[in-house]
mmCIF file of all heavy atoms in Angstrom:
data_model
loop_
_atom_site.group_PDB
_atom_site.id
_atom_site.type_symbol
_atom_site.label_atom_id
_atom_site.label_comp_id
_atom_site.label_asym_id
_atom_site.label_seq_id
_atom_site.Cartn_x
_atom_site.Cartn_y
_atom_site.Cartn_z
ATOM 1 N N ASN G 11 109.642 78.688 117.936
ATOM 2 C CA ASN G 11 110.418 78.921 116.684
ATOM 3 C C ASN G 11 109.558 79.704 115.666
ATOM 4 O O ASN G 11 108.425 79.346 115.403
ATOM 5 C CB ASN G 11 110.798 77.569 116.072
ATOM 6 C CG ASN G 11 111.692 77.729 114.861
ATOM 7 O OD1 ASN G 11 111.242 78.127 113.819
ATOM 8 N ND2 ASN G 11 112.982 77.441 115.051
ATOM 9 N N ILE G 52 101.230 82.706 122.397
ATOM 10 C CA ILE G 52 102.667 82.394 122.520
ATOM 11 C C ILE G 52 103.403 83.513 123.283
ATOM 12 O O ILE G 52 104.201 83.229 124.174
ATOM 13 C CB ILE G 52 103.301 82.170 121.134
ATOM 14 C CG1 ILE G 52 102.739 80.926 120.485
ATOM 15 C CG2 ILE G 52 104.816 82.110 121.232
ATOM 16 C CD1 ILE G 52 103.087 79.639 121.200
ATOM 17 N N LYS G 55 102.315 83.521 127.046
ATOM 18 C CA LYS G 55 102.707 82.338 127.840
ATOM 19 C C LYS G 55 104.205 82.132 127.920
ATOM 20 O O LYS G 55 104.747 81.801 128.962
ATOM 21 C CB LYS G 55 102.056 81.089 127.243
ATOM 22 C CG LYS G 55 102.393 79.795 128.045
ATOM 23 C CD LYS G 55 101.622 78.604 127.508
ATOM 24 C CE LYS G 55 101.998 77.318 128.229
ATOM 25 N NZ LYS G 55 101.711 77.389 129.685
ATOM 26 N N VAL G 78 107.781 88.227 118.663
ATOM 27 C CA VAL G 78 107.393 86.900 118.172
ATOM 28 C C VAL G 78 108.072 86.550 116.877
ATOM 29 O O VAL G 78 108.749 85.521 116.780
ATOM 30 C CB VAL G 78 105.863 86.746 118.042
ATOM 31 C CG1 VAL G 78 105.520 85.315 117.600
ATOM 32 C CG2 VAL G 78 105.155 87.087 119.361
ATOM 33 N N PHE G 107 96.726 105.654 84.268
ATOM 34 C CA PHE G 107 97.134 106.960 84.747
ATOM 35 C C PHE G 107 96.503 108.082 83.902
ATOM 36 O O PHE G 107 96.093 109.101 84.411
ATOM 37 C CB PHE G 107 98.656 107.084 84.681
ATOM 38 C CG PHE G 107 99.321 106.680 85.952
ATOM 39 C CD1 PHE G 107 100.085 105.507 86.026
ATOM 40 C CD2 PHE G 107 99.206 107.457 87.096
ATOM 41 C CE1 PHE G 107 100.713 105.138 87.219
ATOM 42 C CE2 PHE G 107 99.846 107.089 88.281
ATOM 43 C CZ PHE G 107 100.583 105.931 88.347
ATOM 44 N N ILE G 120 91.613 112.556 99.967
ATOM 45 C CA ILE G 120 90.362 112.594 100.727
ATOM 46 C C ILE G 120 90.242 111.429 101.704
ATOM 47 O O ILE G 120 89.694 111.562 102.789
ATOM 48 C CB ILE G 120 89.147 112.617 99.762
ATOM 49 C CG1 ILE G 120 87.884 113.078 100.485
ATOM 50 C CG2 ILE G 120 88.863 111.278 99.140
ATOM 51 C CD1 ILE G 120 87.947 114.514 101.009
ATOM 52 N N THR G 232 108.344 82.629 81.136
ATOM 53 C CA THR G 232 107.638 81.970 82.249
ATOM 54 C C THR G 232 107.999 82.638 83.568
ATOM 55 O O THR G 232 107.119 83.074 84.333
ATOM 56 C CB THR G 232 108.010 80.472 82.307
ATOM 57 O OG1 THR G 232 107.670 79.886 81.066
ATOM 58 C CG2 THR G 232 107.250 79.806 83.444
ATOM 59 N N PHE G 233 109.311 82.764 83.821
ATOM 60 C CA PHE G 233 109.740 83.481 85.018
ATOM 61 C C PHE G 233 111.206 83.811 84.846
ATOM 62 O O PHE G 233 112.022 82.954 84.481
ATOM 63 C CB PHE G 233 109.517 82.639 86.279
ATOM 64 C CG PHE G 233 109.832 83.376 87.544
ATOM 65 C CD1 PHE G 233 109.057 84.432 87.978
ATOM 66 C CD2 PHE G 233 110.953 83.040 88.331
ATOM 67 C CE1 PHE G 233 109.334 85.130 89.138
ATOM 68 C CE2 PHE G 233 111.267 83.741 89.485
ATOM 69 C CZ PHE G 233 110.439 84.783 89.884
ATOM 70 N N GLY G 284 117.850 95.008 78.651
ATOM 71 C CA GLY G 284 118.990 94.119 78.410
ATOM 72 C C GLY G 284 118.536 92.668 78.453
ATOM 73 O O GLY G 284 117.563 92.288 77.798
ATOM 74 N N SER G 293 100.488 83.163 85.775
ATOM 75 C CA SER G 293 100.264 82.094 86.718
ATOM 76 C C SER G 293 101.402 81.977 87.717
ATOM 77 O O SER G 293 101.185 81.728 88.913
ATOM 78 C CB SER G 293 100.080 80.767 85.969
ATOM 79 O OG SER G 293 101.239 80.462 85.202
ATOM 80 N N THR G 318 97.025 93.589 120.271
ATOM 81 C CA THR G 318 95.664 93.812 119.833
ATOM 82 C C THR G 318 94.653 93.178 120.759
ATOM 83 O O THR G 318 93.722 93.831 121.214
ATOM 84 C CB THR G 318 95.471 93.253 118.380
ATOM 85 O OG1 THR G 318 96.418 93.920 117.516
ATOM 86 C CG2 THR G 318 94.075 93.517 117.892
ATOM 87 N N ASP G 384 93.935 93.001 88.187
ATOM 88 C CA ASP G 384 93.842 94.349 87.634
ATOM 89 C C ASP G 384 93.592 95.410 88.716
ATOM 90 O O ASP G 384 93.895 96.578 88.507
ATOM 91 C CB ASP G 384 92.685 94.416 86.600
ATOM 92 C CG ASP G 384 93.034 93.631 85.357
ATOM 93 O OD1 ASP G 384 94.185 93.701 84.883
ATOM 94 O OD2 ASP G 384 92.136 92.948 84.819
#
Side-chain angles (χ1 to χ4, degrees):
N11 184 287
I52 293 295
K55 182 175 177 61
V78 182
F107 268 110
I120 197 64
T232 302
F233 185 69
S293 60
T318 302
D384 291 320

